[in-house]
Every structure is written in C-alpha cells, then in structure tokens.
C-alpha cells in the first residue's frame, strides 16, 4: 500500500461504507477480469458551487443533480444519443448525482476541435487526450491537479489499477490525468487480409520489416490494381514507437527506448527512422501507397495490410470484424512499456470545472461499474446490445459511435457471447513481458524552452503528412526541416532535454 493510501485508509473506508460508489466488477455483468477488444453530444456546461467528495452521497440522495460535460473522440454523435444518455443519466443520477452530456468529435475533426476547446477555455468538465497534448496542456494550465482527490473519489480504480499506471502520468510528481487501464504496453501487429495470404502463400513471419515487404506489395499492386498500403494523413506513424518522446509531445524528439546512454535525438535523422522513411517514399513513388494519403483525414475500412497496436487475438475479435474479412496478424516489434504507452488514453478534468470530485466519481464508475461500463462500451441496451442468459453480451449491431479505448478499463467490460476465452490473460502476458523504456517515469519539463518547442512542433506539423505518407523524399526534406528547426531554437530544446535526462539517469 502506498503512503497516500495509508494516510487516507480510514476516510476511504467510511466513504465506501456509505455506498458512494459502485465497486469494480459490480452492476450487472461479469467479474472485473472480463474483457473485450471491440468498441469504439453536446449541451450544458457545469453550474453551481464546487462540490465535496464527502458530500456526494447526500447531494445525490437529496435529489441535487449537477451537470457535467465530457468531450471525447469517436465516429461522431450516436444516432440514438438521446435515449442512450437518458439511460446513463438515470443510472448515474441515482448513484452519484450527475447529469452527463457528451460531445463525441469525429476522428478527422479531433485535433482542431480539441485544440480550440482547450485554448479558448470553452466550457467542459472532462476531456479525452493522450501523450501528444497532455504535458503541453498541463503547462497551459488547462487541467486540474487531481493528485489529492484520487483516494476519496476513485476508490475503485485505485484498487483495480497498479500504481505504475499512475506513475506513468505523473508530471513533477503531480497527477493531472486518469489513464485508461487496459494494455499498458505497446505491441504492434501487421494485419493481413487472410485471403491474400492464402492466395500468395505469404510467410508473414518473415514480413516484419518495411524493406521485407516491398516485393510483396509490388506484386499485390500489379495483380489487384489497388493500393496495398492505404493510409491517411498521419501515415505510417508506428515507426516512431521505439522512441520515447520523454514528454516533449512530438515525434521528432526522443530517446530510443533501449538506449542505455539515454541520448536525446532528432529522430528523423536517426538511421532506423531515416531508412524506413526512404522505404515509405519508395512505396509512394511506386504507387503502393494511395496518392491522396497526405490529404485524407479518414482511412478506409478495407486494407490489404496495415499496422495496429493490440494483441494477437484482436485479429479475431476486433480487426477482422471491423474490416469484414478474416485476417491474420504478426507481431512486428518488441513489446514496450513507457510513459507514452500509459498516456495513450487519458481523461483530464478541466481546471475550470466546478465539480472536480464529481468528475472523478463519474470516471471511477465508468471504469469500475460493469453496468455503466457496458453502456459506454457497447451502447444502449436493447438497441446496440443485449445480455444473454449466461450474463454475456450479444451485439445487436456495430453502430455504436463511441471509442471504447477512450473511456475506461477493458477489464470490467462484460465479455461477448462470441468470445471463446478471456483476453485479459493475453494482455497481461504482454504487459509482463514488456521491455521498459529507459525513460519510464521521466517527463521533460519544457518550461525553459516552451516557446522554442512550440515553434518546432508547428514546423514539424507543416511537414508531417507529406513525410509520413512518402510524398517527400526524406533525404531532401529532413535537412530542410532541420534548418528551420535550428532557426526556431531546436538546439536549445535538445540541450535542455539532455540536461534533464542526464540528471534523471544519475539518480
């Protein structure tokens, strides 16, 4: 038990006894170890005075309901949003005195819309995010420091989730985000259309590096008159996953996860990255990559091949069904644990919310109350899913618009009636086998170089789409990018990051 847990144990016991929150695994489904890989609204803002965690049960019991707004990403607003949110609010209103409204932003609009919301202080209470914006937004003062509120308001998640997850989101030893407790490590898999693998007798175990795939993709392009690598404007971004971004919030700054010397580098110049960028450019030139990739904000459903983060059985439970085809998968990199993998899915509480405790109580329920977890993960009962006689979930359709990985733990979701085994065992095995980044627990304090770093991020974002989709020749464009970066103070960023990394490694 951590020191904080010991200090607040007696108060927590009182809160639990009062029935403030539903414990993990409760609420009408299977146990907390159940999981699934599938699943992937706007109105009033908060009003009234700030609430206290100790008064939450009395306020709910007295009929007082507070309004919260949660901004997240998905396929846009669900078509049955009104009836779904009514079911949600009926349940959480009775439990914790909250009336929730959701804004579900489509994938292609997410970056711009989220940036506007945060930068203009548009009213919201909870917002989804990840490591790309987490530290930068903390430095802007966008999020509430929730460190001292967790024990009293998130007892279920504090019990369910290992401490290392919380360590992964600490910034200057303070916590500003609630991580989604799922696969804490990152494992990338190549996903192949099984029909093509069988037709061409492909040995996908040997096709795990980009250079090994070129000949196969040339054949597929010629025979099928289609693009073997069909991507949108973020391109083949997975190539950066072996670099720990150290909290800098950009792909071009990092330390390779297994570099014991912890050298901070300009990743585009590193040989492993440059070699892959050259191949991506070659693919674009040969028509292996779709020519409109750099301008697309949405991908397509069908892919001959693509790369995704997950675990092997997701090919059967998620990736295949999503594509409407049988697929086969092959791991292509080591399994890595880092701050970034933990920060791949976070929910933050606005600094301007009047109800930070209620926000955390809601997130605790979404993580730990199986009935509510299913409502978020699968949609509306009787419309999107139904429970079977043996307590599993049968999906009526695949229309649910919310992205399951953004909401809460996978391990309190009721399993599907089509699941033949509990995927938690597979995910746990990957997590336990993960190789930890040398930078685990380190977050770059960017305050001294915040202006330079922001300018450098903007420079990279101007080039990113065309670099990552192969439009630009990296041997030509990377020196040009570096020249602009250096004028914007890139060397100062590198030097300050290295100084802090050296101090961290010396401890």
């Amino acid at each position: 038990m951590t020191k904080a847990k010991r200090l607040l144990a007696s108060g927590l016991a009182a809160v639990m006894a009062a029935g403030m929150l539903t414990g993990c695994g409760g609420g009408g489904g299977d146990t907390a170890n159940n999981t699934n890989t599938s699943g992937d609204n706007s109105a009033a803002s908060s009003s009234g005075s700030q609430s206290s965690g100790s008064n939450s049960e009395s306020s709910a019991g007295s009929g007082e309901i507070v309004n919260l707004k949660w901004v997240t990403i998905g396929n846009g607003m669900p078509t049955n949003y009104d009836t779904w949110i009514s079911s949600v609010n009926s349940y959480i209103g009775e439990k914790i005195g909250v009336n929730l409204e959701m804004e579900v932003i489509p994938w292609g609009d997410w970056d711009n819309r989220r940036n506007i919301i945060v930068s203009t202080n548009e009213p919201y209470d909870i917002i989804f995010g990840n490591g790309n914006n987490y530290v930068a937004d903390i430095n802007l003062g966008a999020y509430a420091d929730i460190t001292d509120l967790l024990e009293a308001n998130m007892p279920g998640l504090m019990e369910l989730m290992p401490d290392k997850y919380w360590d992964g989101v600490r910034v200057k030893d303070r916590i500003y985000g609630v991580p989604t407790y799922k696969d804490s490590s990152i494992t990338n898999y190549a996903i192949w259309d099984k029909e093509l693998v069988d037709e061409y007798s492909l040995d996908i175990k040997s096709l795990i590096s980009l250079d090994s795939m070129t000949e196969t993709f040339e054949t597929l392009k010629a025979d099928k008159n289609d693009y073997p690598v069909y991507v949108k404007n973020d391109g083949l971004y997975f190539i950066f996953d072996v670099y720990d971004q150290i909290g800098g919030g950009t792909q071009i700054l990092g330390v390779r996860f297994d570099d014991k010397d912890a050298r901070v580098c300009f990743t585009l110049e590193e040989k492993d990255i440059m070699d892959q960028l050259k191949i991506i450019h070659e693919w674009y030139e040969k028509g292996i990559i779709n020519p409109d990739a750099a301008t697309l904000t949405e991908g397509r459903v069908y892919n001959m091949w693509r790369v995704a983060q997950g675990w092997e059985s997701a090919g059967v439970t998620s990736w295949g069904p999503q594509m409407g085809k049988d697929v086969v998968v092959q791991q292509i990199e080591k399994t890595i644990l880092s701050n970034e993998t933990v920060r791949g899915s976070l929910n933050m509480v606005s600094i301007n919310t009047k109800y930070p405790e209620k926000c955390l109580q809601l997130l605790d329920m979404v993580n730990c109350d199986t009935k509510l977890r299913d409502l978020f993960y699968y949609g509306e009962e009787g419309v999107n899913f139904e429970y079977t006689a043996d307590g599993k979930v049968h999906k009526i359709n695949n229309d649910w618009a919310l992205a399951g990985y953004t909401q809460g733990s996978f391990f309190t979701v009721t399993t599907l009636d089509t699941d033949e085994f509990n995927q938690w065992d597979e995910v746990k095995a990957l997590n336990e086998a993960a190789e930890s980044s040398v930078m685990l627990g380190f977050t770059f304090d960017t305050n001294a170089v915040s202006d330079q770093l922001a300018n450098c991020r903007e420079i990279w974002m101007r080039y990113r789409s065309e670099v990552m989709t192969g439009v630009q020749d990296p041997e030509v464009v990377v020196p040009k990018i570096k020249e602009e970066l250096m004028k914007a103070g890139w060397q100062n960023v590198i030097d300050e990051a290295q100084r802090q990394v050296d101090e961290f490694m010396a401890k």
Side-chain angles (χ1 to χ4, degrees):
M1 182 177 287
T2 64
K3 182 178 179 181
K5 289 180 179 177
R6 288 195 299 270
L7 289 174
L8 288 165
S10 60
L12 177 57
V15 169
M16 294 288 283
M20 183 183 73
L21 294 172
T22 302
C24 284
D30 287 353
T31 66
N33 283 345
N34 287 334
T35 184
N36 189 290
T37 61
S38 62
D40 253 343
N41 314 25
S42 90
S45 59
S46 300
S47 61
S49 60
Q50 183 167 309
S51 64
S52 167
S54 62
N55 293 328
S56 60
E57 175 67 17
S58 61
S59 64
S62 65
E64 179 184 350
I65 303 292
V66 303
N67 295 323
L68 298 181
K69 180 178 179 180
W70 187 352
V71 179
T72 192
I73 191 172
N75 288 326
M77 297 292 287
T79 56
N80 57 323
Y81 171 75
D82 289 342
T83 51
W84 170 77
I85 199 67
S86 177
S87 298
V88 168
N89 284 330
S90 176
Y91 190 63
I92 64 176
E94 179 182 347
K95 294 283 186 178
I96 56 172
V98 165
N99 182 76
L100 179 65
E101 304 202 42
M102 302 286 295
E103 180 178 353
V104 186
I105 300 172
W107 303 96
D109 299 332
W110 173 253
D111 286 339
N112 288 336
R113 176 71 181 126
R114 190 207 67 84
N115 288 340
I116 290 172
I117 291 171
V118 172
S119 63
T120 63
N121 285 320
E122 187 173 319
Y124 70 91
D125 299 279
I126 303 170
I127 193 167
F128 170 75
N130 55 39
N132 291 335
N133 42 54
Y134 180 57
V135 175
D137 290 348
I138 290 171
N139 290 334
L140 286 174
Y143 304 141
D145 179 347
I146 60 175
T147 315
D148 300 327
L149 301 177
L150 294 173
E151 293 284 354
N153 295 285
M154 304 199 80
L157 188 57
M158 294 295 287
E159 181 69 23
L160 176 67
M161 187 166 66
D163 287 345
K164 65 182 178 181
Y165 280 73
W166 296 111
D167 292 338
V169 296
R170 289 184 183 274
V171 177
K172 294 183 179 179
D173 206 35
R174 307 302 292 175
I175 297 172
Y176 299 85
V178 177
T180 302
Y181 178 38
K182 51 185 187 69
D183 44 333
S184 62
S185 55
I186 182 170
T187 311
N188 282 318
Y189 289 86
I191 305 166
W192 295 85
D193 179 346
K194 185 178 184 300
E195 185 177 339
L196 296 177
V197 172
D198 292 342
E199 180 181 350
Y200 290 88
S201 299
L202 298 179
D203 177 15
I204 64 172
K205 290 184 178 180
S206 68
L207 301 175
I208 58 175
S209 62
L210 296 190
D211 59 346
S212 69
M213 301 174 194
T214 301
E215 184 177 349
T216 297
F217 288 158
E218 288 176 328
T219 300
L220 292 174
K221 169 65 178 178
D223 290 356
K224 303 302 180 182
N225 193 30
D226 194 6
Y227 304 106
V229 181
Y230 195 99
V231 294
K232 59 186 182 69
N233 59 8
D234 53 359
L236 298 171
Y237 59 87
F238 71 90
I239 68 173
F240 289 109
D241 286 343
V242 294
Y243 283 86
D244 192 313
Q245 293 182 18
I246 65 174
T250 178
Q251 297 164 316
I252 62 174
L253 178 73
V255 173
R256 188 175 164 90
F257 82 99
D258 54 0
D259 179 9
K260 303 303 181 184
D261 294 329
R263 178 177 57 90
V264 179
C265 60
F266 174 40
T267 58
L268 297 181
E269 282 188 327
E270 294 301 295
K271 186 178 186 305
D272 55 348
I273 298 296
M274 176 58 77
D275 286 349
Q276 291 178 94
L277 291 176
K278 290 178 184 177
I279 294 168
I280 294 169
H281 177 57
E282 177 188 351
W283 288 356
Y284 183 83
E285 296 265 283
K286 291 181 175 181
I288 290 171
I289 294 176
N290 50 303
D292 58 350
T295 60
L296 286 182
T297 58
E298 300 286 346
R300 69 178 185 183
V301 173
Y302 174 75
N303 295 277
M304 297 186 193
W305 170 95
R306 71 181 180 95
V307 173
Q309 176 190 348
W311 44 92
E312 187 172 353
S313 58
V316 175
T317 62
S318 182
W319 297 325
Q322 287 169 5
M323 196 167 76
K325 300 276 286 185
D326 289 337
V327 301
V328 289
V329 304
Q330 175 62 47
Q331 184 173 340
I332 60 172
E333 289 284 0
K334 291 182 177 179
T335 301
I336 301 169
L337 173 65
S338 70
N339 290 348
E340 277 73 36
T341 63
V342 176
R343 296 175 186 181
S345 177
L346 302 167
N347 281 286
M348 280 68 65
V349 175
S350 170
I351 189 67
N352 296 317
T353 186
K354 297 176 181 178
Y355 303 104
E357 294 89 350
K358 291 291 187 183
C359 292
L360 295 179
Q361 291 165 27
L362 173 64
L363 290 172
D364 197 57
M365 280 195 72
V366 170
N367 274 277
C368 296
D369 184 307
T370 297
K371 178 178 179 179
L372 186 62
R373 187 72 193 92
D374 288 349
L375 283 171
F376 274 83
Y377 199 76
Y378 293 120
E380 184 179 356
E381 185 177 359
V383 176
N384 304 110
F385 78 97
E386 59 191 4
Y387 289 107
T388 63
D390 59 352
K392 292 189 174 184
V393 161
H394 173 72
K395 293 179 72 172
I396 299 172
N397 53 57
N398 293 310
D399 297 339
W400 188 234
L402 272 68
Y405 82 94
T406 67
Q407 306 155 0
S409 175
F410 282 176
F411 311 134
T412 51
V413 177
T414 300
T415 53
L416 287 172
D417 57 351
T418 53
D419 287 349
E420 297 180 359
F421 59 93
N422 189 340
Q423 295 178 83
W424 159 243
D425 294 335
E426 185 179 347
V427 176
K428 184 179 180 182
L430 284 172
N431 286 343
E432 291 177 348
E435 187 171 336
S436 294
S437 167
V438 294
M439 291 286 94
L440 186 65
F442 171 82
T443 298
F444 180 24
D445 181 355
T446 62
N447 285 328
V449 289
S450 59
D451 291 340
Q452 296 97 317
L453 183 56
N455 291 335
C456 290
R457 285 196 197 103
E458 288 300 317
I459 291 169
W460 167 235
M461 291 305 292
R462 291 205 312 269
Y463 287 95
R464 185 185 68 167
S465 293
E466 293 195 343
V467 173
M468 298 311 299
T469 59
V471 175
Q472 294 276 4
D473 181 347
E475 292 186 295
V476 175
V477 74
V478 169
K480 183 178 179 181
I481 294 171
K482 186 175 183 180
E483 182 179 359
E484 290 191 37
L485 291 171
M486 295 301 282
K487 291 178 180 178
W490 183 245
Q491 192 61 52
N492 292 337
V493 174
I494 292 284
D495 291 345
E496 178 61 19
Q498 190 68 67
R499 182 188 68 79
Q500 294 182 30
V501 166
D502 290 344
E503 289 181 357
F504 174 79
M505 297 297 287
K507 292 181 180 179

